[in-house]
Amino acid sequence: MRFPFTEDLPKKLMRKPAAEALAAMFAAGDEEGINLYAQSGYRSYETQVSLFASYVERDGIEAANKYSARPGESEHQSGLTMDVTSPDVSFLLNEDFGETPEGKWLAEHCGDFGFIIRYPNGKESITQYQYEPWHIRYVGKKAAQTIMSQQITLEEYVESLSE
Ligand SMILES: [Zn+2]
């Protein structure tokens, strides 16, 4: 996988099925001139503690809760999540990524590789998170294709299974 940094860091890691799916998705993107980069995957509990604390320090707890998970609640701790980005947004994780060719391609194709855009635009009241076009989560192909094609959230999908 491509990363915009070279250090050997834990955030390069994912669980194996997710990592393999991500590699396959990057390869498919390459063939269409889509220049995706992985920015941040696995995060330990300790890392999330210090990250969240730094956000609270900077923006206050209310704001931090909207864009960052509390320790123990981050999907990055699961090893199933990766934040992806592209050179067009200088490898940043921001809403502009959703408007780049990479962001659009990702939203259109990630379901076929088992990934979902975990926090979609307009679903903030369901996910309790702001729109994050860069944050993808591996849920397997079947669930991902359903979620992405129906433009629903993981919460709504899980709910629909119990109906
Ligand atoms: Zn993320």
Side-chain angles (χ1 to χ4, degrees):
M1 247 112 58
R2 273 188 302 272
F3 295 86
F5 54 88
T6 52
E7 303 92 317
D8 220 355
L9 299 171
K11 67 179 181 175
K12 281 187 169 177
L13 299 175
M14 285 186 102
R15 280 201 242 168
K16 198 161 181 240
E20 287 172 351
L22 190 70
M25 185 169 73
F26 275 33
D30 283 348
E31 288 183 12
E32 296 179 43
I34 293 300
N35 212 2
L36 287 167
Y37 281 75
Q39 177 65 275
S40 187
Y42 173 71
R43 220 177 273 161
S44 69
Y45 183 85
E46 291 71 27
T47 303
Q48 192 67 25
V49 168
S50 58
L51 203 58
F52 189 74
S54 71
Y55 293 147
V56 170
E57 174 108 341
R58 189 183 68 191
D59 297 330
I61 192 152
E62 202 178 320
N65 267 329
K66 289 210 174 87
Y67 65 81
S68 174
R70 290 163 181 265
E73 295 175 2
S74 171
E75 285 196 349
H76 285 276
Q77 288 173 230
S78 71
L80 296 172
T81 289
M82 184 61 78
D83 292 331
V84 298
T85 182
S86 73
D88 284 1
V89 289
S90 309
F91 306 114
L92 294 173
L93 306 176
N94 59 29
E95 286 194 15
D96 292 343
F97 173 69
E99 298 304 316
T100 64
E102 281 73 19
K104 287 178 181 168
W105 188 92
L106 185 70
E108 198 174 320
H109 298 281
C110 68
D112 295 334
F113 296 90
F115 288 96
I116 59 169
I117 306 289
R118 180 66 182 89
Y119 306 119
N121 202 5
K123 298 280 189 174
E124 292 82 355
S125 63
I126 298 168
T127 63
Q128 306 298 327
Y129 270 84
Q130 65 182 27
Y131 173 44
E132 294 193 353
W134 64 87
H135 178 112
I136 56 171
R137 173 180 171 145
Y138 185 75
V139 295
K141 266 186 200 174
K142 184 167 168 275
Q145 284 169 335
T146 304
I147 289 167
M148 293 308 293
S149 66
Q150 295 182 9
Q151 298 189 301
I152 56 173
T153 60
L154 182 59
E155 285 84 356
E156 291 166 297
Y157 177 74
V158 170
E159 181 82 5
S160 74
L161 294 179
S162 62
E163 273 165 9

